[in-house]
Amino acid sequence: MPSLAAGPAVNTYASEYTYTTELTAAHRTDATHVTATHHLEGDFPGGQVDLRFRFTLRDGLIERLVIAS
């Protein structure tokens, strides 16, 4: 699957890179919203990034997921 990153990596694939990931934080903001932060380090452009995964839950399932750096 092609990368959705902007810039020079736009025509590459995520499988072209190796990386490690660590869950660095997680918290529930209310009954339907959870935010988890993962730190990634690897050989991709920039070498490291913190990604925030914002989940909206409904009936115990993920209704919406927003991933931001």
Side-chain angles (χ1 to χ4, degrees):
M1 170 176 288
S3 168
L4 298 179
V10 91
N11 293 320
T12 61
Y13 294 85
S15 62
E16 292 181 35
Y17 304 109
T18 57
Y19 61 92
T20 59
T21 181
E22 178 183 358
L23 176 65
T24 56
H27 65 277
R28 182 179 286 262
T29 54
D30 58 39
T32 59
H33 295 94
V34 176
T35 300
T37 303
H38 281 82
H39 180 76
L40 281 72
E41 291 188 21
D43 59 359
F44 53 87
Q48 60 182 312
V49 66
D50 288 315
L51 295 178
R52 282 176 286 293
F53 296 79
R54 289 182 232 144
F55 298 89
T56 301
L57 307 174
R58 177 182 276 190
D59 300 325
L61 301 173
I62 298 171
E63 178 180 58
R64 182 172 187 217
L65 170 61
V66 176
I67 303 172
S69 60

